[in-house]
């Protein structure tokens, strides 16, 4: 909800009132909050992958290992890491000089369209940002892959079909969310700002700022027995 609220209300006001003006500080705040919430979700998905792995790989020890204290620590680390990661990108982007005309070719302040407004060469800042993002992103992605490799190998050793399905269903919603999130983020940010296309960037951003967050409650609710029963009554 917070992640979507950073961008959509301002975009709706712009569409309805026709006033597409955003101040410099508002732009900085929007970019910082957007990256903070997006990257925090990124780190939380990694923590959730570890949680699902532990639940399936060590079910008897899960309650003692995944204590409330550890859960709290994982959440705090995710938020702090997201805030620091966002602070770096905000500083890296807005340290560039902007001479004008400052027309952001996007419906919110994001890194590629803002960098393109710089009146000096932004490629060094872009490369530094890409290097940091790659290191952090690939590390989190590697941890998620390792967690799922362990989970899948454990599920494969379960003899009964019902047991395998039950074990897989505990992580299916998270796996779907990870695929949606990583897919949209990779498509949006694994390209240089000089190759940024306003039309393509807008469509991609629409997907990961509106479509993906809208689908997440549906994906997670499909594991809920009451929700499944209600859907059966409605459609069957």
């Amino acid at each position: 909800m917070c992640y979507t609220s950073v961008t959509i209300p301002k975009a709706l006001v712009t569409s309805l009132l026709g006033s597409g003006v955003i101040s410099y500080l508002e732009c900085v705040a929007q970019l910082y909050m957007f990256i903070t919430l997006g990257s925090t979700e990124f780190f939380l998905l990694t923590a959730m992958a570890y949680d699902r792995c532990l639940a399936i790989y060590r079910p008897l020890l899960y309650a003692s290992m995944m204590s409330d204290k550890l859960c709290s620590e994982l959440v705090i680390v995710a938020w702090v890491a997201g805030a620091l990661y966002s602070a770096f990108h905000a500083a890296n982007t807005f340290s560039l000089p902007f001479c004008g005309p400052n027309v952001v070719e996007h419906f919110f302040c994001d890194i590629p369209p803002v960098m393109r407004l710089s009146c000096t060469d932004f490629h060094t800042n872009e490369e530094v940002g890409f290097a940091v993002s790659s290191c952090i992103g690939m590390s989190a992605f590697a941890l998620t892959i390792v967690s799922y490799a362990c989970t899948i190998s454990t599920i494969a050793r379960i003899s009964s079909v019902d047991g395998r399905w039950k074990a897989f269903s505990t992580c299916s919603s998270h796996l779907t969310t990870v695929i949606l999130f990583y897919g949209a983020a990779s498509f949006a940010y694994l390209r240089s700002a000089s190759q940024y296309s306003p039309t393509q960037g807008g469509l991609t951003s629409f997907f990961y700022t509106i479509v993906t967050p809208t689908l997440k409650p549906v994906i997670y609710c499909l594991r809920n027995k009451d929700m499944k029963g209600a859907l059966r009554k409605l459609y069957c």
Side-chain angles (χ1 to χ4, degrees), residues 87-100:
F88 161 76
H89 274 294
N92 186 54
T93 302
F94 289 98
S95 62
L96 292 165
F98 302 99
C99 309

Side-chain angles (χ1 to χ4, degrees), residues 167-195:
F168 179 74
S169 67
T170 62
C171 58
S172 58
S173 55
H174 175 259
L175 182 60
T176 306
T177 306
V178 165
I179 292 168
L180 283 171
F181 190 81
Y182 274 94
S186 300
F187 193 76
Y189 295 106
L190 289 181
R191 68 181 72 191
S192 66
S194 56
Q195 295 176 327

Side-chain angles (χ1 to χ4, degrees), residues 6-27:
V6 172
T7 57
I8 304 308
K10 181 67 178 177
L12 288 173
V13 169
T14 301
S15 300
L16 295 172
L17 301 181
S19 173
V21 179
I22 184 168
S23 71
Y24 180 81
L25 290 177
E26 283 178 330
C27 191

Side-chain angles (χ1 to χ4, degrees), residues 204-224:
T204 308
S205 300
F206 175 81
F207 185 81
Y208 70 78
T209 57
I210 299 173
V211 177
T212 305
T214 305
L215 287 175
K216 281 174 188 173
V218 178
I219 293 166
Y220 285 117
C221 283
L222 288 176
R223 286 191 57 216
N224 187 294

